[in-house]
Amino acid sequence: MNSREETLQAELEERIRFETLLADLSARFVGLPAEALDREIEEAQRRICETVGLDRSTLGQPSKEGVPQFTHAWAIPGCMPAPHSPAAPLFPWATQQIQGGHTIRFSSVEELPPEAAMDKETFRRVGTKSCVCFPLLVGGKAMGALSFGTVKAERQWPDELVNRLRLVAEVFASALARRASEEALQNALETVEALKERLQAENVSLRQDLQLLDGHPEILGQSTALRDVLAQVEQVAATEASVILLGETGTGKELIASAIHDLSARRNRRMIRVNCAAIPSTLIESELFGREKGAYTGALTKQVGRFEAADGSTLFLDEIGELPPEVQVKLLRVLQEKQIERLGSSMPIPVDVRIIAATNVDLEAAVQKGKIRQDLYYRLNVFPITVPPLRDRPQDIPLLIHAFIDQFSRAMGKTITSISRSNLDALQHYPWPGNVRELRNVIERAVILARGPRLSVEVPSVQPAGAPTSSAIEDVERAHIVRTLERTGWRLQGKGGAAELLGLKRTTLQSRMAKLGIRRPTPEHGVGT
Ligand SMILES: Nc1ncnc2c1ncn2[C@@H]1O[C@H](COP(=O)(O)OP(=O)(O)OP(=O)(O)O)[C@@H](O)[C@H]1O
Ligand SMILES: [Mg+2]
């Protein structure tokens, strides 16, 4: 063999070795588990460098934040490995070339153009003499770079070699892309799992609510007023009609709502409750109607609304008077069309929901003030039930007192056998602005304080003017409102009225008063003016 033949022979051998290696690599990378990929890439970098006689190979990819980063490297022993640092500041020109989809190739650092001054310096510093660098192209876009280089001596990069090495870059690119899409899929699955878990958690919390409802004491009372209410409850329960419960705070509206649901054909599914006053107005819409992921900034997950949750059951909309007008419009539409649209979606979802609403504000006044839309008012006002305040049914008071004493003494493990006649009388004559809730709290407190079998219940005094006796925020607010009202002779509106002095709208003041149990004292109780 002459020397030319020898060269050809050597070239052929090298080519065969490389083709064999490439075939082997392609086979290994197919079906490679994601976690084995990194190791396998570095191993391949080593084998290629050794086969071709190169000193170093480095792979870089953008981090999660999009900053190009060296992620895989191999180098001959004694050679400085690629730094684990962002690539762009060190190789600004090369980064730009790669991002533009161009291959970089130089036999000597001197070949680099003047605009690559920074890159040139870095190459020198890390000892690179010759280098070829490929973009890792996926769908025509560079998602990283793969470089091969020498440090011991400069070398040429014939086209044939460059083309073969490019094939390696392609194998790496597709393996990395496959892993990225697998990871994206995995993330999506995890999101679905998390959503499922949340939904289950919500079910649990709703069921806990239900247990509380289940455990509600019977609706106690013997007054004609309450019997009337219960007769209406029985009448309407069997129908599908919307019900609105009116009445002061603490009169038992929620209890009545549960009773209607429990007597209805929908009783096998739990009643879903929404307190319109407790949910910020910006969230109420998605609470009620649900939302798709990304419906608005911060909507990271899909949410099933309460309407959907109440499908086939009853939705109790408490404090309906607090619903923002734009949500009232939507609510009305849902009531008419019996279908909802989640926020961020225009796909209608049919829902079969019976509505029970409740409010302690004067609804007609709210309509007149424009706080409640008239059309919604008519829609909900199909079957209004007014729960009378406790002072209008004093016959119920002794019964409730005995039931609450029994309930609390049992719960606290105390034996209470009596309460004085005069004490009962006094309690029966108190106006109970906070109604049954207030009575219940007063009895609970008395049972806590009880030292023996005879219970002595302190009768609350109608909040007098002067310093509040408690510094709880509600008590302070109540005292302040009462004092202002007394100053204005209980005049709410107009110039110098309590609403103006307090800087509130009259309706707002009225709903605060109802919430805090503030009523103008009646003359027979001899308090106030
Ligand atoms: N007739 C009744 N028998 C027994 N307990 C009652 C009765 N009415 C009300 N209660 C009790 O009084 C408390 C207040 O009742 P509820 O929450 O139903 O009032 P509400 O009218 O919804 O008040 P608010 O308007 O402030 O929401 C609850 O603990 C409830 O169980
Ligand atoms: Mg209530």
Side-chain angles (χ1 to χ4, degrees), residues 93 278 349:
W93 174 82
I349 302 171

Side-chain angles (χ1 to χ4, degrees), residues 26-40:
S26 316
R28 288 181 83 93
F29 275 80
V30 171
L32 192 68
E35 64 277 12
L37 182 59
D38 293 327
R39 198 177 359 100
E40 204 62 40

Side-chain angles (χ1 to χ4, degrees), residues 76-182:
I76 51 162
C79 168
M80 201 162 123
H84 272 269
S85 58
L90 298 171
F91 300 100
W93 174 82
T95 305
Q96 219 176 19
Q97 295 296 307
I98 292 297
Q99 281 170 352
H102 307 292
T103 300
I104 301 163
R105 153 175 20 174
F106 59 88
S107 303
S108 154
V109 180
E110 290 317 312
E111 292 168 19
L112 288 169
E115 59 271 30
M118 176 76 198
D119 305 60
K120 219 186 229 179
E121 160 152 6
T122 313
F123 279 127
R124 279 215 186 91
R125 196 154 42 80
V126 299
T128 301
K129 296 230 159 56
S130 310
C131 175
V132 60
C133 182
F134 305 98
L136 296 175
L137 294 171
V138 176
K141 264 189 69 186
M143 53 163 278
L146 175 66
S147 74
F148 295 97
T150 59
V151 293
K152 287 193 287 206
E154 292 184 355
R155 68 162 294 157
Q156 298 299 311
W157 300 102
D159 284 351
E160 203 187 6
L161 174 60
V162 170
N163 289 339
R164 280 190 241 145
L165 290 173
R166 194 192 307 283
L167 288 176
V168 175
E170 279 170 22
V171 171
F172 286 6
S174 68
L176 287 167
R178 204 189 53 224
R179 179 167 72 179
S181 65
E182 269 170 24

